[in-house]
Amino acid sequence: MSQATPTDRLYAIVEQGLCIGCGICQGIAGVDTVRCTATQSGYEQPVVIGDLDHATVDRIYDTCPGTRVGGLPPQLVDSDAQLDPMWGVWKRMVRAWAGDPMVRHKAATAGVLTALAGYLLDTGRVEFVLHAKASTKRPTFGERHLSFSQSDVLTATGSRYGPTAPLIDIDAVLDRGAPFAFIGKPCDIGALRNHARHDSRVNELVRYWLTPVCGGYMPPASMDAFLRRLEVNPEDVTAFRYRGHGCPGPTRIETRTAVRQVHYLDFWGDDANMWQLPWRCKICPDGIGESADIAAADSWPGGSPTREGSEHDPGTNAVIVRTGLGLELLESAVRDGALVIERDIGPEDLTSYQPHQVRKKQAVWSRYQGLADENRIVPHTDNLRLEQLSGALSTEIQQNQREGTRTRITQGKATEPRPQPAPQE
């Protein structure tokens, strides 16, 4: 049997459905070797265009959030921090919102992350914020964005539920030599934490790590199907807002000739079991941002808004503060009016607000066993307590999760084609 080439090894991550499209592989290999771009599958995925070697692929495997996911680095766990089996390390949990009513209204949920980004810039704690905004090329996608002012931050409000590669040029961002904050999905945070083991500049320059609690994003094919159900040609879309302008606010689609607004539940569905997600999101071991300083979540009891009255909901974030640095930031932001805290909460409240996160995290260990049964890449995990959490499920349910994973693999539902640039690329 011939030995796998470096290209084969990199593409195995994609072909086995583990690529989340964060762009870190391009950041590691360089844009002349690996380019994260739209492929024939519709996703943004790495395409090898230069001479890739095994040493670079080894580093990618040690960094990619599809192959390695960890909790909070041990050196950041304070002695007085609490550890919840489901929700991880925490120092404080609160219900909160942005102090500026405009930010609270415009941003996703209640604007906590937007408010903190602006606060960090206004107080000079960082020189810029690395995060995402709506893509200028594909409105349903996101793109890497640097904000240097509060007004910059406001141009990027709202969730991104499409492919987004915030780490696509991380080496160039670090080359700036300036302190910054990073706001990314939990998998993006994990990728950058992994990258810190190979590049000392990460821990030196990334001063704050902020994340939304994440339920996944919409596959491009599912997005196109959603638009066509609304009789909108995906190629005609000029702007797309997933949520915001209320909590959750309407999903808004603009074309050159019309504007359509639908309820957030018309986009995702009324039940979490209806969500269309990439395979990597279905086996995600950390949707709750365990390696961030602060994670902000929706706070709807039962995990979903209702169709009645949600347009009048100003929004309230459930906030998990994990580190001493995060706690100091939260309390300073409250003191200076950037945030408002309604009250303290605990892990049982998070479980009420995010039951889908609980179900998935309890199932992941069994799903990973199914991956191993089928000789798939099994992500390496640290400090996430997955085996312990699986014990909350009956033996029968664990076996069903394991077998269900195997079935999806054999049916091709966990497999992507070898990346090829999309025709327009």
Side-chain angles (χ1 to χ4, degrees):
M1 181 180 294
S2 61
Q3 187 177 13
T5 67
T7 297
D8 291 335
R9 293 176 60 211
L10 176 60
Y11 283 164
I13 298 173
V14 178
E15 291 165 346
Q16 295 184 29
L18 297 176
C19 175
I20 204 65
C22 70
I24 193 69
C25 50
Q26 176 179 312
I28 291 169
V31 69
D32 294 329
T33 301
V34 172
R35 186 164 299 166
C36 192
T37 187
T39 64
Q40 81 277 28
S41 69
Y43 291 102
E44 287 189 332
Q45 297 170 332
V47 176
V48 178
I49 59 173
D51 294 328
L52 184 64
D53 57 52
H54 282 294
T56 301
V57 179
D58 288 344
R59 183 173 165 188
I60 290 171
Y61 266 75
D62 194 53
T63 307
C64 171
T67 53
R68 188 180 188 109
V69 187
L72 194 66
Q75 67 271 21
L76 298 181
V77 180
D78 290 345
S79 59
D80 62 347
Q82 301 187 63
L83 175 63
D84 181 78
M86 169 60 209
W87 294 101
V89 174
W90 65 284
K91 290 178 70 71
R92 191 176 181 188
M93 296 180 179
V94 299
R95 285 170 56 92
W97 52 77
D100 184 331
M102 182 274 292
V103 173
R104 184 182 185 186
H105 174 74
K106 185 176 181 180
T109 308
V112 162
L113 296 181
T114 300
L116 287 175
Y119 180 73
L120 288 170
L121 291 166
D122 288 345
T123 56
R125 293 179 179 224
V126 299
E127 291 195 18
F128 62 91
V129 177
L130 169 60
H131 57 143
K133 69 171 184 177
S135 171
T136 53
K137 296 180 180 179
R138 302 178 185 85
T140 60
F141 283 40
E143 67 182 21
R144 187 282 258 157
H145 181 60
L146 300 183
S147 285
F148 296 88
S149 67
Q150 175 75 267
S151 61
D152 287 344
V153 171
L154 291 174
T155 66
T157 55
S159 297
R160 301 266 72 79
Y161 293 128
T164 306
L167 301 175
I168 199 166
D169 62 347
I170 188 60
D171 195 56
V173 173
L174 293 167
D175 280 345
R176 290 172 173 267
F180 65 97
F182 179 49
I183 304 177
K185 302 186 301 298
C187 51
D188 302 326
I189 294 281
L192 194 54
R193 289 287 192 195
N194 290 340
H195 192 51
R197 293 199 304 276
H198 301 276
D199 192 329
S200 62
R201 297 176 300 170
V202 175
N203 287 335
E204 175 190 351
L205 296 175
V206 185
R207 301 294 172 82
Y208 297 90
W209 306 66
L210 311 176
T211 189
V213 169
C214 177
Y217 70 88
M218 181 74 77
S222 298
M223 169 59 75
D224 287 352
F226 164 74
L227 292 170
R228 294 188 189 284
R229 286 196 299 272
L230 297 178
E231 299 182 346
V232 174
N233 184 338
E235 296 180 0
D236 293 340
V237 175
T238 56
F240 195 100
R241 188 176 72 229
Y242 289 95
R243 58 185 296 182
H245 295 250
C247 181
T251 297
R252 179 183 173 95
I253 307 102
E254 298 181 26
T255 68
R256 294 179 182 83
T257 59
V259 174
R260 292 288 305 274
Q261 290 195 163
V262 298
H263 196 280
Y264 181 73
L265 292 177
D266 293 325
F267 175 68
W268 277 117
D270 292 86
D271 188 311
N273 293 322
M274 301 169 59
W275 294 355
Q276 301 293 312
L277 299 172
W279 176 245
R280 167 59 176 79
C281 295
K282 294 180 179 179
I283 57 170
C284 177
D286 177 32
I288 64 175
E290 290 211 32
S291 60
D293 293 310
I294 293 177
D298 287 318
S299 60
W300 297 306
S304 180
T306 64
R307 290 184 178 272
E308 294 74 37
S310 62
E311 68 273 16
H312 303 300
D313 181 0
T316 302
N317 279 115
V319 182
I320 309 169
V321 183
R322 302 194 182 279
T323 66
L325 185 69
L327 184 59
E328 189 279 329
L329 173 59
L330 175 84
E331 293 177 345
S332 296
V334 171
R335 181 193 65 227
D336 293 340
L339 292 183
V340 174
I341 290 178
E342 179 187 49
R343 61 180 172 86
D344 280 82
I345 58 176
E348 66 282 357
D349 296 292
L350 267 297
T351 295
S352 170
Y353 304 147
Q354 299 281 326
H356 47 286
Q357 295 289 353
V358 176
R359 292 191 295 268
K360 180 159 58 176
K361 196 146 191 170
Q362 290 173 341
V364 164
W365 182 258
S366 300
R367 293 175 183 179
Y368 281 5
Q369 289 177 312
L371 292 177
D373 292 341
E374 296 298 320
N375 296 313
R376 289 291 185 111
I377 298 168
V378 179
H380 176 86
T381 60
D382 296 298
N383 305 318
L384 295 177
R385 309 161 307 282
L386 300 180
E387 186 173 10
Q388 175 187 352
L389 288 166
S390 72
L393 304 179
S394 68
T395 301
E396 180 182 4
I397 293 176
Q398 290 182 47
Q399 188 62 28
N400 287 342
Q401 292 291 336
R402 183 173 184 168
E403 290 300 321
T405 298
R406 297 187 65 183
T407 298
R408 285 174 171 81
I409 292 171
T410 58
Q411 292 178 343
K413 295 180 179 179
T415 301
E416 293 290 330
R418 177 158 288 217
Q420 296 290 334
Q424 65 269 26
E425 296 297 312

